[in-house]
Coordinates of all heavy atoms in Angstrom, one line a residue:
Chain A
Y368 N 28.3 -129.1 -153.9 CA 27.1 -128.5 -153.3 C 26.1 -129.6 -152.9 O 25.5 -129.6 -151.8 CB 26.5 -127.5 -154.3 CG 25.1 -127.0 -153.8 CD1 25.1 -126.1 -152.8 CD2 24.0 -127.6 -154.3 CE1 23.8 -125.7 -152.3 CE2 22.7 -127.1 -153.8 CZ 22.7 -126.2 -152.8 OH 21.5 -125.8 -152.4
M369 N 25.8 -130.5 -153.9 CA 24.8 -131.5 -153.6 C 25.2 -132.4 -152.4 O 24.4 -132.9 -151.6 CB 24.5 -132.3 -154.8 CG 23.9 -131.6 -156.0 SD 22.3 -130.8 -155.5 CE 21.2 -132.1 -155.7
A370 N 26.6 -132.7 -152.4 CA 27.1 -133.5 -151.3 C 26.9 -132.8 -149.9 O 26.6 -133.4 -148.9 CB 28.5 -133.8 -151.5
Y371 N 27.1 -131.5 -150.0 CA 26.8 -130.6 -148.7 C 25.4 -130.8 -148.3 O 25.1 -131.0 -147.1 CB 27.2 -129.2 -149.0 CG 26.4 -128.2 -148.3 CD1 26.6 -127.9 -146.9 CD2 25.4 -127.4 -148.9 CE1 25.8 -127.0 -146.2 CE2 24.6 -126.5 -148.2 CZ 24.8 -126.3 -146.9 OH 24.1 -125.4 -146.2
V372 N 24.4 -130.7 -149.2 CA 23.0 -130.7 -148.8 C 22.6 -132.1 -148.4 O 21.9 -132.3 -147.5 CB 22.1 -130.2 -150.0 CG1 20.6 -130.3 -149.5 CG2 22.4 -128.8 -150.4
A373 N 23.2 -133.1 -149.1 CA 22.8 -134.5 -148.9 C 23.6 -135.3 -147.8 O 23.3 -136.4 -147.5 CB 22.8 -135.3 -150.2
F374 N 24.6 -134.7 -147.3 CA 25.6 -135.4 -146.4 C 24.9 -136.3 -145.4 O 24.1 -135.8 -144.6 CB 26.4 -134.3 -145.7 CG 27.6 -134.9 -145.0 CD1 28.3 -135.9 -145.5 CD2 28.0 -134.3 -143.7 CE1 29.4 -136.4 -144.8 CE2 29.1 -134.8 -143.1 CZ 29.8 -135.9 -143.6
F375 N 25.0 -137.6 -145.6 CA 24.1 -138.5 -144.9 C 24.1 -138.4 -143.4 O 23.0 -138.7 -142.8 CB 24.4 -139.9 -145.4 CG 25.7 -140.5 -144.9 CD1 25.8 -141.2 -143.7 CD2 26.8 -140.5 -145.7 CE1 26.9 -141.7 -143.3 CE2 28.0 -141.0 -145.3 CZ 28.1 -141.6 -144.1
P376 N 25.2 -138.1 -142.7 CA 25.1 -138.1 -141.3 C 24.0 -137.1 -140.7 O 23.3 -137.4 -139.7 CB 26.5 -137.7 -140.8 CG 27.3 -138.1 -141.9 CD 26.6 -137.9 -143.1
Q377 N 23.8 -136.0 -141.4 CA 22.9 -135.0 -140.9 C 21.7 -134.8 -141.8 O 21.0 -133.8 -141.7 CB 23.6 -133.7 -140.5 CG 24.7 -133.3 -141.4 CD 24.2 -132.4 -142.6 OE1 24.2 -132.9 -143.7 NE2 23.8 -131.2 -142.3
L378 N 21.5 -135.7 -142.8 CA 20.5 -135.4 -143.8 C 19.1 -135.4 -143.3 O 18.3 -134.5 -143.6 CB 20.7 -136.5 -144.9 CG 19.6 -136.6 -146.0 CD1 19.4 -135.3 -146.7 CD2 19.9 -137.8 -146.9
V379 N 18.7 -136.3 -142.5 CA 17.3 -136.5 -142.1 C 16.9 -135.9 -140.8 O 15.7 -135.7 -140.5 CB 16.8 -137.9 -142.2 CG1 16.8 -138.4 -143.6 CG2 17.6 -138.8 -141.3
A380 N 17.9 -135.6 -139.9 CA 17.4 -135.0 -138.6 C 18.5 -134.0 -138.1 O 18.7 -133.9 -136.9 CB 17.1 -136.0 -137.6
G381 N 19.3 -133.4 -139.0 CA 20.2 -132.4 -138.6 C 21.5 -133.0 -138.0 O 21.7 -134.2 -138.0
P382 N 22.3 -132.2 -137.3 CA 22.2 -130.8 -137.1 C 22.0 -130.0 -138.5 O 22.6 -130.4 -139.5 CB 23.5 -130.4 -136.5 CG 24.2 -131.6 -136.0 CD 23.6 -132.7 -136.8
I383 N 21.2 -128.9 -138.4 CA 21.0 -128.1 -139.6 C 22.2 -127.3 -139.8 O 22.5 -126.3 -139.0 CB 19.7 -127.2 -139.4 CG1 18.5 -128.1 -139.1 CG2 19.5 -126.4 -140.7 CD1 17.3 -127.3 -138.7
E384 N 23.0 -127.6 -140.8 CA 24.3 -126.9 -141.0 C 24.0 -125.6 -141.9 O 23.1 -125.6 -142.7 CB 25.3 -127.8 -141.6 CG 25.8 -128.8 -140.7 CD 26.5 -128.3 -139.5 OE1 27.1 -127.2 -139.6 OE2 26.5 -128.9 -138.4
R385 N 24.9 -124.7 -141.7 CA 24.9 -123.5 -142.5 C 25.9 -123.6 -143.6 O 27.0 -124.1 -143.4 CB 25.2 -122.3 -141.6 CG 24.4 -122.3 -140.4 CD 23.0 -121.7 -140.6 NE 23.2 -120.3 -140.5 CZ 23.2 -119.7 -139.4 NH1 23.0 -120.3 -138.2 NH2 23.4 -118.4 -139.3
A386 N 25.5 -123.2 -144.8 CA 26.4 -123.3 -146.0 C 27.7 -122.6 -145.7 O 28.8 -123.0 -146.0 CB 25.7 -122.6 -147.1
E387 N 27.6 -121.5 -144.9 CA 28.7 -120.7 -144.6 C 29.8 -121.5 -143.8 O 31.0 -121.3 -144.1 CB 28.2 -119.5 -143.8 CG 29.3 -118.5 -143.4 CD 28.7 -117.5 -142.3 OE1 27.5 -117.6 -142.0 OE2 29.5 -116.8 -141.7
T388 N 29.3 -122.4 -143.0 CA 30.3 -123.2 -142.2 C 30.6 -124.5 -142.8 O 31.8 -124.9 -142.7 CB 29.8 -123.4 -140.8 OG1 28.5 -123.9 -140.9 CG2 29.7 -122.1 -140.0
L389 N 29.7 -125.2 -143.4 CA 30.0 -126.5 -143.9 C 30.4 -126.6 -145.3 O 31.3 -127.5 -145.6 CB 28.7 -127.5 -143.6 CG 28.9 -128.9 -143.9 CD1 30.0 -129.5 -143.0 CD2 27.7 -129.7 -143.7
L390 N 29.8 -125.8 -146.2 CA 30.1 -126.0 -147.6 C 31.6 -125.8 -147.9 O 32.1 -126.6 -148.7 CB 29.3 -125.0 -148.4 CG 29.4 -125.1 -149.9 CD1 29.1 -126.5 -150.5 CD2 28.6 -124.0 -150.7
P391 N 32.3 -124.9 -147.3 CA 33.8 -124.8 -147.6 C 34.5 -126.1 -147.4 O 35.5 -126.4 -148.1 CB 34.2 -123.7 -146.7 CG 33.0 -122.8 -146.4 CD 31.9 -123.8 -146.4
A392 N 34.0 -126.9 -146.4 CA 34.7 -128.2 -146.1 C 34.6 -129.2 -147.3 O 35.4 -130.0 -147.4 CB 34.2 -128.8 -144.9

Side-chain angles (χ1 to χ4, degrees):
Chain A
Y368 170 77
M369 295 302 279
Y371 148 75
V372 180
F374 190 36
F375 69 87
Q377 39 87 252
L378 169 58
V379 291
I383 302 167
E384 288 298 332
R385 310 280 276 279
E387 183 193 351
T388 53
L389 186 62
L390 183 57

